[in-house]
Amino acid sequence: MSTHKRNHRETRHGMTIVELLVVMGILVVLMGIAATAVKTGTRGKKQREAARQVNSYIASAQARAMQLGRPAGIEIVRNVSDSSGDGIITFADDTGVSNSSLLMYTLETPPPYAGDELNSRLDVSNSSGTVTLSDPNARYASATGLLTANQMVEIRLDYRGPRYTATVSQVSPLQLQFTLPANDQTIFPSHGKVACQIFLPPQRSSATPLQLPSDMCIDLTCSGVGNTGNQFANWNSGVHNSVRFTFSPKGNVDKVSTVNGTWGRPGGNIHLLVGKYDHAVDTIAVMQTENIDETNSMTFPGLNYLDYINPADPKLETNLADGTSMWVSVNHLTGQITTTRNKLITNTFLTGSVFTSASDKNAALLAETRDFARSGLIIKGQGDE
């Protein structure tokens, strides 16, 4: 009788419950890490993309100025509309937020207008330093479609010398008037004729405007010129002029026009805060400016950026207190354009510091939130303004 020994091993198929649990635990940990990474990567993505669009649009206007050899720039349109149709925009009966913008246009400065004929001249008269230019022979007839009465324009006589700021007394026939500066040594005859170049203000070009997504905006309550400036904020409901600035053909910032529509040289770098439109709406409640149309001054006396950082109502949020907001900044000296994060400010930022007024606190807060932007704009010791 023979015996057979079993020389094969019993094989086992499948996994035990313990092994399954270990594998599932590892998968859960990996999925958690991946979800955190994805969430971190997408946080603030819309703000970054909106800021990139603003940066690129400003850069294209700068390039246009260098291409044309004339100033070109940007118009930032306030997000208000005359929904009542009465021709007057007030918070009481119209829609939008004046201190936010979702729309930007490219501006171009037209060539100087020197009349309709090659030898166009204006009659000049000088009475004790008050110079009047008139057009009795209709050599500047096209001015009717270019100028408006009481408009302020820059002019230059005989294609040389300084520019003067003149008032359009009337359009047809054209009449301009200006007063010679006290230190001006130019000798004007009592009567005569003179060629006159009229430098027209920047106008919207045919370039496609930039429309930001409806949930993003440029928050103008915290935007302005200089490290601490908020000149783009508008607390006067009767005035809703666009914010405009132009570049010179050299690429630096040429002029800026803010709330009152007057053009002037910038005293510092331009800073634009890009963030959520809902946060800009919340600002109205944070600043308690629902009835600000009753205030006639250009400066809101109750302005306190500490309320932005720590609103009394925890449901309200502001772009200045949002770390995902972005600053788009332009160096007024070099034309450099940068995009940087908004620096978060803690509630204890002003603790221990001595400030003589609320405006000093506001200035300190704005300067601190723009810290990354200021650092990015400093080149060879210039631009820290």
Side-chain angles (χ1 to χ4, degrees), residues 18 138 161 250 264 300 323 336-337 345:
V18 175
K250 296 181 180 180
F300 179 50
Q336 179 196 14
I337 307 169
I345 306 299

Side-chain angles (χ1 to χ4, degrees), residues 58-81:
I58 295 175
S60 67
Q62 183 185 45
R64 184 62 174 163
M66 292 186 282
Q67 178 187 15
L68 289 175
R70 301 191 303 271
I74 293 296
E75 177 183 1
I76 303 172
V77 182
R78 298 184 185 275
N79 188 42
V80 289
S81 59

Side-chain angles (χ1 to χ4, degrees), residues 286-301:
V286 170
M287 302 302 295
Q288 299 179 355
T289 56
E290 291 91 342
N291 298 317
I292 195 62
D293 56 311
E294 297 174 0
T295 303
N296 294 321
S297 64
M298 300 299 290
T299 303
F300 179 50

